[in-house]
Amino acid sequence: MASGEEEGGVDEKETNNKKRTKGAIATAWLTVYNIAMTAGWLVLAVAMLRYYLQKGSHKGLYRNIAKTLKFFQTFALLEVGHCAIGIVRTSVIVTGVQVCSRIFMVWFITNSIRQVQNEESVILFVVVWTVTEITRYSFYTFNLLNHLPYFIKWARYNMFIVMYPLGVVGELLTIHAALPYVRRSGMYSLRLPNKYNVSFDYYYFLIIVMLSYIPLFPQLYFHMLRQRRRVLHGEIIVEKDE
Ligand SMILES: CCCCCCCCCCCCC/C=C/C(=O)SCCNC(=O)CCNC(=O)[C@H](O)C(C)(C)COP(=O)(O)OP(=O)(O)OC[C@H]1O[C@@H](n2cnc3c(N)ncnc32)[C@H](O)[C@@H]1OP(=O)(O)O
């Protein structure tokens, strides 16, 4: 099949120039974004390590890092936008599920239910997220700069095999630990009768969220396994949802 450049029309040259300009702006933005995110998660890693070395306990660690975690995890919403406008070749759905589930954990579980903040499971998922994101964002940064060390590429496409299930275990145990407090307090729930004539029970909603990991997590995990085969072993993969 002949490429656009081989045909060499004036219109096509202009289109290619436009693509290059858009590409340069997008690349510059993504580089800045990825550097900022790598730095943010590195700050979190250092803060967690310092806290643990000073106090010798994980109690109070979450409160200590909560603001930074909320800021950088919420900022990751931009990634859904990156996919939607097409500056990264990733599925909006896959990225959306990943980012929204994290934001949900941060804002609607650990931030809202203080009683779970000292659970070991919170530390588990926060540490797993931190290690994963430092690797992921440095991978994107070095890749964009065309200077990608093999060990970062290797780490990006191998660590998730263990990290993903560990993160999910941490998240599910945390939601499970939150259930009694949610039931007792009736938080975020709407009981009948009320003027809207609608009822909502956050307790049962959380159970549905936990159950939704069963169909959704394997899809994210298999997506990453496909990415791994494509990047590390050069396999050509056709994604269904893109
Ligand atoms: C209302 C509440 C709803 C709750 C619902 C609950 C259900 C939840 C179920 C599942 C829950 C999961 C919980 C998650 C826990 C954890 O995170 S645990 C920690 C371990 N986690 C991971 O390992 C995360 C792995 N996931 C990811 O990496 C991504 O988030 C991803 C979207 C799932 C997959 O990434 P993807 O982008 O598709 O793959 P890549 O190979 O990295 O990239 C593809 C191409 O896109 C380019 N790209 C992507 N982003 C960028 C960027 N920021 N900058 C530059 N480039 C980027 C990348 O370079 C690739 O480009 P090409 O090589 O040209 O293809």
Side-chain angles (χ1 to χ4, degrees):
M1 195 174 78
S3 75
E5 283 192 34
E6 278 165 8
E7 285 165 31
V10 177
D11 285 351
E12 275 173 15
K13 274 186 189 155
E14 267 179 28
T15 313
N16 285 339
N17 280 343
K18 271 186 199 160
K19 272 188 194 162
R20 265 194 287 276
T21 315
K22 187 178 164 230
I25 294 167
T27 304
W29 160 248
L30 286 173
T31 308
V32 171
Y33 172 81
N34 290 313
I35 291 174
M37 293 302 266
T38 312
W41 287 93
L42 272 171
V43 166
L44 264 171
V46 172
M48 284 195 280
L49 205 63
R50 273 183 57 184
Y51 186 93
Y52 192 77
L53 292 177
Q54 276 170 10
K55 309 275 175 188
S57 162
H58 71 278
K59 299 234 159 73
L61 193 154
Y62 180 82
R63 271 184 80 74
N64 189 262
I65 54 133
K67 269 193 192 146
T68 320
L69 176 67
K70 282 185 279 186
F71 179 80
F72 284 99
Q73 189 52 63
T74 309
F75 208 63
L77 266 176
L78 285 178
E79 272 161 58
V80 184
H82 294 160
C83 306
I85 61 173
I87 60 172
V88 298
R89 290 196 306 149
T90 308
S91 146
V92 181
I93 300 168
V94 173
T95 308
V97 172
Q98 171 76 32
V99 173
C100 292
S101 70
R102 294 259 198 107
I103 286 179
F104 178 76
M105 279 309 298
V106 166
W107 285 103
F108 295 97
I109 303 289
T110 34
N111 183 62
S112 311
I113 307 160
R114 281 172 166 232
Q115 291 88 336
V116 299
Q117 289 177 357
N118 284 332
E119 293 284 330
E120 278 95 353
S121 57
V122 172
I123 307 305
L124 174 63
F125 78 72
V126 174
V127 168
V128 165
W129 289 7
T130 306
V131 174
T132 301
E133 296 305 48
I134 292 170
T135 315
R136 187 165 75 94
Y137 290 117
S138 40
F139 166 83
Y140 293 143
T141 306
F142 287 116
N143 203 19
L144 286 167
L145 298 173
N146 291 321
H147 280 89
L148 178 63
Y150 185 75
F151 79 91
I152 294 188
K153 184 173 169 177
W154 184 92
R156 161 75 182 132
Y157 290 106
N158 279 297
M159 276 185 1
F160 79 89
I161 295 172
V162 176
M163 290 297 191
Y164 233 165
L166 277 181
V168 166
V169 168
E171 293 174 27
L172 288 177
L173 287 177
T174 305
I175 303 178
H176 184 260
L179 288 175
Y181 303 104
V182 171
R183 178 165 242 180
R184 222 175 298 143
S185 64
M187 66 188 292
Y188 299 148
S189 299
L190 207 54
R191 306 246 184 265
L192 287 170
N194 60 60
K195 65 176 174 178
Y196 307 105
N197 208 20
V198 173
S199 85
F200 175 75
D201 196 320
Y202 192 50
Y203 176 83
Y204 290 109
F205 176 75
L206 287 187
I207 293 175
I208 293 170
V209 167
M210 289 175 82
L211 291 174
S212 72
Y213 276 66
I214 299 170
L216 293 176
F217 173 62
Q219 301 203 32
L220 296 181
Y221 197 71
F222 284 115
H223 169 80
M224 284 307 294
L225 286 174
R226 283 195 295 273
Q227 292 294 78
R228 179 178 186 273
R229 290 210 305 273
R230 182 177 68 88
V231 178
L232 295 184
H233 305 294
E235 285 182 31
I236 297 163
I237 312 253
V238 180
E239 292 274 357
K240 272 190 266 164
D241 60 346
E242 283 164 331

